Amino acid sequence: MIEIIPAIDIIDGKCVRLTQGDYGKQKTYSDNPLEVAKLFEGYGVRRLHVVDLDGAKSSHVVNLRVLELIASHTNLVIDFGGGIKSENDLTLSFNAGASMLTIGSLAVKNPDLVKGWLKDYGAERFIIGADVKDEKISINGWKEEGEDTLYPFLERYTSEGVVNVLCTDISRDGMLQGPSLTLYENILKRFPELHLIASGGVGGVDDIRKLNEMGVPAVVFGKAFYEGLIRIEQLKEFLG
């Protein structure tokens, strides 16, 4: 059964969503991310994807207090990303309660540093973020196109023991028009061992069902829930 991972994106300590990563297209859904996290936990969700959007923009972690509150007041497994650029960011995030860290742009720009972290802390504690448009990796909040293409990028990290990969089709993120099924199918054909986390485009429960039928191990969703297109009780079929 596919793993359900709701997302909480944070700006100024509030729960927000962007459209295609555009900070100019921001919508605030809650002033209290902890209440949102508790809602998910109350319905049986076990894992949460928390993104520090201020951190992603500032190139260092910013919203650690939100992470601390959710980690200390719930039993959720939290994967945390956004602005992790240094050993200090990494240490602060783990100390604040993150179980896993999502590394995106840094995995493109400084692979030697990231590979060192994989060895020092264990590859199982990291999720490599692959933000993709036309199979090219985008970086720095999707504002730049990196030189890496998707499959060599994934090969670089699977060869280092990485199993967890969060792949976002940025052309679909926040659009609610369905996930990139062909993209995920192609990734799983090449890397069947991956715990692939699909992200971007989920517009309803049927999209999650399609991913589950394809054998995609996990899915992150956010906007569809906050806009009322996915009701929390609809997720029970995936929560065992």
Side-chain angles (χ1 to χ4, degrees), residues 7-98:
I8 293 182
D9 294 355
I10 308 298
I11 290 180
D12 293 331
K14 300 175 182 178
C15 179
V16 308
R17 294 297 289 176
L18 307 181
T19 298
Q20 293 183 314
D22 187 345
Y23 284 78
K25 297 178 181 177
Q26 172 188 330
K27 184 173 182 180
T28 299
Y29 290 98
S30 174
D31 292 339
N32 192 331
L34 175 58
E35 285 187 356
V36 178
K38 285 184 172 181
L39 173 67
F40 286 125
E41 185 179 38
Y43 274 85
V45 169
R46 293 178 287 275
R47 182 165 161 187
L48 196 64
H49 178 62
V50 178
V51 183
D52 182 355
L53 289 174
D54 291 313
K57 198 171 185 178
S58 304
S59 294
H60 62 85
V61 292
V62 174
N63 285 289
L64 284 170
R65 181 58 180 157
V66 174
L67 173 60
E68 289 174 339
L69 282 171
I70 296 173
S72 61
H73 289 84
T74 74
N75 292 311
L76 292 164
V77 173
I78 302 170
D79 70 69
F80 180 73
I84 299 169
K85 305 294 186 186
S86 68
E87 186 95 22
N88 186 54
D89 291 322
L90 180 150
T91 301
L92 289 171
S93 300
F94 277 141
N95 288 345

Side-chain angles (χ1 to χ4, degrees), residues 210-230:
K210 289 175 185 176
L211 292 167
N212 184 49
E213 289 166 5
M214 286 174 54
V216 175
V219 60
V220 164
F221 65 93
K223 190 172 183 179
F225 168 77
Y226 298 115
E227 291 288 337
L229 300 175
I230 293 176

Side-chain angles (χ1 to χ4, degrees), residues 108 136-139 144-149:
V108 176
K136 290 277 286 184
I137 303 291
S138 293
I139 58 175
E144 300 176 36
E145 187 177 273
E147 296 180 1
D148 285 296
T149 54

